[in-house]
Amino acid sequence: MGVTSGLETLFAVALVAALAPLVVAVLPGPRIPQVVIFLLGGVLIGPHGLGLANTASITLLSNIGLGFLFLLAGYELDPRLLRQRPGQLALIGWAVTAVLAVGVVAALGSTGYIHDFVPVGLALTTTALGTLLPILQDNHMLGGKFGAYVMAAGAVGELLPTIAISVFLTQHDHFAALASVGLVGVLALGLSFVPRVTRNRRLRGIITESQDSTGQVTLRWTTVLLFLLLTIASRFGLDVVLGALMAGIVLRGWTRQMNMDTTGLENKFDAVGYGIFIPIFFVASGMTLDLKAIGHDPLRVVLFFLLLLVVRGLPSLLIYRRVLSLRQRAQMTFITATTMPLLIALAEIGKRDGVMLPSTSAALVGAGVLSVLIYPPIAVALSRGSRPADAAPAAQAEAAGGSREGPASQVSGELAGDGLPPASGRLPEGRDALPDPDAHGGGAPGPATAP
């Protein structure tokens, strides 16, 4: 009976995922993200809707989907970017957000409106980079200078709250949790040296011959890496998101050290991640939404929804004033205010602790869903109203086959006028080091070069 129930749930989830692109295509008006359809479809088939499916039977698959989502987010991130101007501003922006979050949470707590301060405060500092990647990629918003700043802000808004969750909201001693985070980081650093083993000519030949055959060796070892770090993070009592992010960062380092042609591998990521597992996570997330609980206190949902914009988004208008135009800063405001996966995790932690009010837990998740529904389309609309010259280089690169469709896409080449590297971390041929992003004074973007 358990197997039958699981298969029925999996069928319902797969049906929602398969119908999503068709629904998006036929809906009038601006194109909405498929993530929205996944969530609404999950609500429809879930226990709070028609009752056709339950999350218990697909929990493992949903967690794998979450892992793939953050694997791809980590894969897109070049750690070197965080040492340059985009990373520095992203860290400053997150610090400002953290200070604002502390003030807001203290004010709400003093009135008795909330009881669980740390989860709510962290919720206001998050950005859903993994959720945003397919939306931004589909709308060609990851190219050039702006793409580098978006990637850095999204990475910081995902990585730092994840570490904070692992340290401050663990059921273990805080010092032990911090040590666990350090151990996982050291392990990830150690794994980054694995490609040195492949210097053996015979082993490298086996990898090259098998990567596109039935052996699929590169995809299989990517899966091994993901599951290894997910397991280790879980074993140490850390959030699995941290393990998945580390896996993506390590994987990017592997491909660079081995000088791999990553086009085929990235296409496989799209097929496995966005074709199978990631939709399961989003639909399962929608199945957990209790619309009745959210409807009991809609003003609380609206409050958290607006606080995400004020606390996490609005600082972008000030932080990036010297490097981005007003329109781009407005886009960044709505992009950084978009969050959801970590809000779901924080709401679950709050309920587990027994301190967070049920209405607050439901409102946090509802606000996250609303942020995904509303904020990215606004950013996309602002992007479409930008100068045509901004989009031309990306379009030329795509026409030449230099960019790929999918979550692990290359940000459209190095900016001639700004000196910024691609956000995905790939350097142009003949370049051994990243340039100083301020070397040219933040000039206008130059044409994109094919990776």
Side-chain angles (χ1 to χ4, degrees), residues 425-451:
R426 181 175 296 178
L427 292 171
E429 292 184 8
R431 296 291 294 273
D432 298 323
L434 291 174
D436 182 354
D438 297 321
H440 301 284
T449 58

Side-chain angles (χ1 to χ4, degrees), residues 13 35 38-39 55 58-59 61-70 130-131 241 273 276-288 340-342 344-345:
V13 171
V35 171
F38 293 154
L39 293 171
T55 56
I58 58 169
T59 299
L61 292 176
S62 176
N63 285 334
I64 293 175
L66 177 65
F68 263 100
L69 189 67
F70 282 87
T131 303
V241 166
I276 303 174
F277 292 110
I278 293 175
I280 294 177
F281 164 72
F282 282 118
V283 176
S285 298
M287 290 163 59
T288 65
M340 192 192 67
L342 288 181
I344 295 174

Side-chain angles (χ1 to χ4, degrees), residues 81-127:
L81 191 66
L82 297 180
R83 298 195 297 267
Q84 297 183 338
R85 188 64 170 165
Q88 294 167 358
L89 291 180
L91 290 170
I92 293 172
W94 191 85
V96 172
T97 292
V99 172
L100 291 175
V102 170
V104 168
V105 168
L108 293 175
S110 66
T111 64
Y113 199 73
I114 62 172
H115 294 164
D116 208 354
F117 306 111
V118 178
V120 175
L122 286 176
L124 298 178
T125 69
T126 63
T127 296

